[in-house]
Coordinates of all heavy atoms in Angstrom, one line a residue:
Chain K
K9 N 27.3 51.6 -64.2 CA 27.7 51.0 -63.0 C 29.3 50.9 -63.0 O 29.9 51.1 -61.9 CB 27.1 49.6 -62.8 CG 27.3 48.9 -61.5 CD 26.6 47.6 -61.4 CE 26.9 46.9 -60.1 NZ 26.3 47.6 -59.0
Y35 N 30.3 62.8 -54.9 CA 31.4 62.4 -54.0 C 32.4 61.5 -54.8 O 32.0 60.8 -55.6 CB 30.9 61.7 -52.8 CG 30.1 62.5 -51.8 CD1 28.8 62.7 -51.9 CD2 30.8 62.9 -50.6 CE1 28.1 63.4 -51.0 CE2 30.0 63.6 -49.7 CZ 28.7 63.9 -49.9 OH 28.0 64.5 -48.9
Q37 N 35.1 58.4 -53.9 CA 35.5 57.5 -52.8 C 36.6 56.6 -53.3 O 36.4 55.8 -54.2 CB 34.3 56.7 -52.3 CG 34.7 55.9 -51.1 CD 33.5 55.2 -50.5 OE1 32.5 54.9 -51.2 NE2 33.5 54.9 -49.2
K41 N 38.4 54.2 -48.0 CA 38.4 55.6 -47.5 C 37.0 56.1 -47.5 O 36.1 55.6 -48.2 CB 39.2 56.5 -48.4 CG 40.7 56.2 -48.5 CD 41.4 56.5 -47.2 CE 42.9 56.4 -47.3 NZ 43.6 56.7 -46.0
P42 N 36.7 57.2 -46.7 CA 35.3 57.7 -46.7 C 35.1 58.5 -48.0 O 36.0 59.0 -48.6 CB 35.3 58.6 -45.5 CG 36.8 59.0 -45.3 CD 37.6 57.8 -45.7
P43 N 33.8 58.7 -48.3 CA 33.5 59.6 -49.5 C 34.0 61.0 -49.2 O 34.0 61.5 -48.1 CB 32.0 59.6 -49.5 CG 31.6 58.3 -48.8 CD 32.6 58.2 -47.7
L45 N 33.6 64.9 -50.6 CA 32.7 65.8 -51.3 C 33.4 66.5 -52.5 O 34.6 67.0 -52.3 CB 32.1 66.9 -50.4 CG 31.1 67.8 -51.0 CD1 29.8 67.1 -51.4 CD2 30.8 68.9 -50.0
I56 N 28.7 74.6 -54.1 CA 30.0 74.2 -53.5 C 30.8 73.5 -54.6 O 30.3 72.5 -55.2 CB 29.8 73.4 -52.3 CG1 29.1 74.2 -51.2 CG2 31.2 72.9 -51.8 CD1 28.9 73.4 -49.9
E58 N 34.5 71.8 -54.2 CA 35.6 71.6 -53.3 C 37.0 71.6 -54.0 O 37.7 70.6 -53.9 CB 35.4 70.3 -52.5 CG 34.2 70.4 -51.5 CD 34.5 71.3 -50.3 OE1 35.7 71.6 -50.1 OE2 33.6 71.6 -49.5
L88 N 35.4 55.2 -56.9 CA 34.0 55.1 -57.0 C 33.4 56.5 -56.9 O 33.7 57.2 -55.9 CB 33.5 54.2 -55.8 CG 32.0 54.0 -55.7 CD1 31.5 53.1 -56.8 CD2 31.7 53.3 -54.3
L90 N 30.2 58.6 -56.3 CA 28.8 58.5 -55.7 C 28.1 59.8 -55.9 O 28.6 60.9 -55.7 CB 29.0 58.3 -54.2 CG 29.6 56.9 -53.7 CD1 30.1 57.0 -52.3 CD2 28.6 55.8 -53.9
A99 N 16.7 72.5 -41.1 CA 17.8 72.4 -40.2 C 17.9 71.0 -39.6 O 16.9 70.5 -39.0 CB 17.7 73.4 -39.1
G100 N 19.0 70.3 -39.8 CA 19.2 68.9 -39.3 C 18.6 67.9 -40.2 O 19.1 66.8 -40.3
N102 N 18.7 66.7 -43.1 CA 19.4 66.7 -44.4 C 20.0 65.3 -44.7 O 21.1 65.3 -45.2 CB 20.5 67.8 -44.4 CG 19.9 69.1 -44.4 OD1 19.7 69.7 -43.3 ND2 19.5 69.6 -45.5
E103 N 19.3 64.3 -44.3 CA 19.7 63.0 -44.6 C 20.0 62.9 -46.1 O 19.1 63.2 -46.9 CB 18.7 61.9 -44.3 CG 19.0 60.5 -44.7 CD 17.9 59.6 -44.5 OE1 16.9 59.9 -43.8 OE2 17.9 58.5 -45.1
Q104 N 21.2 62.5 -46.5 CA 21.5 62.3 -47.9 C 21.3 60.9 -48.3 O 21.8 60.0 -47.6 CB 23.0 62.7 -48.1 CG 23.2 64.2 -47.9 CD 24.6 64.7 -48.3 OE1 25.3 64.0 -49.0 NE2 25.0 65.8 -47.8
F106 N 22.1 58.1 -51.0 CA 23.2 57.8 -51.9 C 22.8 56.8 -53.0 O 22.1 55.8 -52.7 CB 24.5 57.2 -51.2 CG 25.2 58.3 -50.5 CD1 24.8 58.7 -49.2 CD2 26.3 58.9 -51.0 CE1 25.5 59.7 -48.5 CE2 27.0 59.9 -50.3 CZ 26.6 60.3 -49.1
G107 N 23.4 57.0 -54.2 CA 23.2 56.0 -55.2 C 24.3 54.9 -55.0 O 25.1 55.0 -54.2
P108 N 24.3 53.9 -55.9 CA 25.2 52.8 -55.8 C 26.6 53.1 -56.3 O 27.6 52.4 -56.0 CB 24.6 51.7 -56.6 CG 23.8 52.4 -57.7 CD 23.3 53.7 -57.0
Chain T
Y32 N 24.3 67.8 -36.0 CA 23.5 66.7 -36.5 C 24.5 65.6 -36.9 O 25.5 65.9 -37.5 CB 22.7 67.1 -37.7 CG 21.7 66.2 -38.2 CD1 20.6 65.7 -37.4 CD2 21.7 65.7 -39.5 CE1 19.7 64.9 -38.0 CE2 20.8 64.8 -40.0 CZ 19.7 64.4 -39.3 OH 18.8 63.6 -39.8
I34 N 25.1 61.4 -38.2 CA 24.5 60.3 -38.9 C 25.5 59.1 -38.9 O 26.7 59.3 -39.1 CB 24.1 60.6 -40.4 CG1 23.2 61.9 -40.5 CG2 23.5 59.5 -41.1 CD1 23.0 62.4 -41.9
Y36 N 26.2 55.8 -41.3 CA 26.0 55.1 -42.5 C 26.6 53.8 -42.5 O 27.7 53.6 -42.0 CB 26.5 56.0 -43.7 CG 25.7 57.2 -44.1 CD1 26.0 58.4 -43.6 CD2 24.7 57.0 -45.0 CE1 25.3 59.5 -44.0 CE2 24.0 58.1 -45.4 CZ 24.3 59.4 -44.9 OH 23.5 60.5 -45.3
Q38 N 28.0 50.9 -45.3 CA 28.3 50.7 -46.7 C 28.8 49.3 -46.9 O 29.9 48.9 -46.5 CB 29.4 51.7 -47.2 CG 29.7 51.7 -48.7 CD 30.6 52.7 -49.2 OE1 31.4 53.3 -48.4 NE2 30.5 53.1 -50.5
G41 N 30.6 47.3 -52.8 CA 30.0 47.5 -54.1 C 28.7 48.4 -54.1 O 28.0 48.5 -55.1
K42 N 28.4 48.9 -52.9 CA 27.2 49.7 -52.8 C 27.5 51.1 -52.2 O 28.6 51.4 -51.7 CB 26.2 49.0 -51.9 CG 25.7 47.7 -52.4 CD 24.6 47.1 -51.4 CE 24.1 45.8 -52.0 NZ 23.1 45.2 -51.1
G43 N 26.5 52.0 -52.3 CA 26.7 53.3 -51.8 C 26.3 53.3 -50.3 O 25.7 52.3 -49.8
P44 N 26.7 54.3 -49.5 CA 26.4 54.4 -48.1 C 24.9 54.4 -47.9 O 24.1 55.0 -48.6 CB 27.0 55.7 -47.7 CG 28.1 56.0 -48.7 CD 27.6 55.5 -49.9
F46 N 21.8 55.0 -45.0 CA 21.5 55.6 -43.8 C 21.1 54.6 -42.8 O 20.3 53.7 -43.1 CB 20.4 56.6 -44.0 CG 19.8 57.2 -42.7 CD1 20.3 58.4 -42.2 CD2 18.7 56.6 -42.1 CE1 19.8 58.9 -41.1 CE2 18.2 57.1 -40.9 CZ 18.7 58.3 -40.4
R51 N 20.4 64.3 -33.3 CA 20.6 65.7 -33.2 C 21.5 66.0 -32.0 O 21.5 65.3 -31.0 CB 19.3 66.5 -33.1 CG 18.4 66.4 -34.3 CD 17.1 67.1 -34.1 NE 16.1 66.9 -35.1 CZ 16.1 67.6 -36.2 NH1 16.9 68.6 -36.4 NH2 15.2 67.3 -37.2
F89 N 30.4 54.3 -41.3 CA 30.9 55.6 -41.2 C 30.0 56.5 -40.3 O 28.8 56.5 -40.5 CB 30.9 56.3 -42.6 CG 31.9 55.7 -43.6 CD1 31.4 54.8 -44.6 CD2 33.2 56.0 -43.6 CE1 32.3 54.3 -45.5 CE2 34.1 55.5 -44.5 CZ 33.6 54.6 -45.5
I93 N 27.1 66.9 -39.6 CA 26.5 68.0 -40.5 C 26.7 69.3 -39.7 O 26.3 69.4 -38.5 CB 25.1 67.8 -40.9 CG1 25.0 66.6 -41.8 CG2 24.5 69.1 -41.5 CD1 23.6 66.3 -42.3
A97 N 25.4 75.5 -44.9 CA 25.4 74.7 -46.1 C 25.0 73.3 -45.8 O 24.7 72.5 -46.8 CB 26.7 74.8 -46.8
R98 N 24.9 72.9 -44.5 CA 24.5 71.5 -44.1 C 25.4 70.5 -44.8 O 25.0 69.5 -45.3 CB 23.0 71.3 -44.4 CG 22.1 72.4 -44.0 CD 22.3 72.8 -42.5 NE 21.9 71.7 -41.6 CZ 22.3 71.6 -40.4 NH1 23.2 72.5 -39.9 NH2 21.9 70.6 -39.6
Q99 N 26.7 70.8 -44.8 CA 27.7 70.0 -45.5 C 27.9 68.8 -44.6 O 28.1 68.8 -43.4 CB 29.0 70.7 -45.7 CG 29.9 70.1 -46.6 CD 31.0 71.0 -47.1 OE1 30.7 72.2 -47.3 NE2 32.2 70.5 -47.3
L100 N 28.0 67.6 -45.3 CA 28.2 66.3 -44.6 C 29.7 66.0 -44.6 O 30.3 66.0 -45.7 CB 27.4 65.2 -45.3 CG 27.3 63.8 -44.7 CD1 26.4 63.9 -43.5 CD2 26.7 62.9 -45.7
F102 N 32.4 63.0 -43.5 CA 32.5 61.6 -43.0 C 33.7 61.4 -42.2 O 34.8 62.0 -42.4 CB 32.6 60.7 -44.2 CG 31.3 60.5 -45.0 CD1 30.9 61.3 -46.0 CD2 30.5 59.4 -44.6 CE1 29.7 61.1 -46.6 CE2 29.3 59.2 -45.3 CZ 28.9 60.0 -46.3
G103 N 33.6 60.5 -41.2 CA 34.7 59.9 -40.5 C 35.4 58.9 -41.4 O 35.0 58.6 -42.5
S104 N 36.5 58.3 -40.8 CA 37.4 57.4 -41.6 C 36.8 56.0 -41.8 O 37.3 55.3 -42.6 CB 38.8 57.3 -41.0 OG 38.7 56.9 -39.6

Side-chain angles (χ1 to χ4, degrees):
Chain K
K9 190 175 176 67
Y35 289 85
Q37 186 177 26
K41 296 291 186 181
L45 183 66
I56 295 177
E58 290 287 350
L88 180 68
L90 293 163
N102 291 94
E103 175 192 342
Q104 291 186 20
F106 284 83
Chain T
Y32 190 61
I34 304 175
Y36 282 94
Q38 187 173 23
K42 297 184 179 180
F46 173 92
R51 295 178 187 270
F89 293 102
I93 292 181
R98 314 308 292 156
Q99 192 165 326
L100 190 68
F102 284 88
S104 55

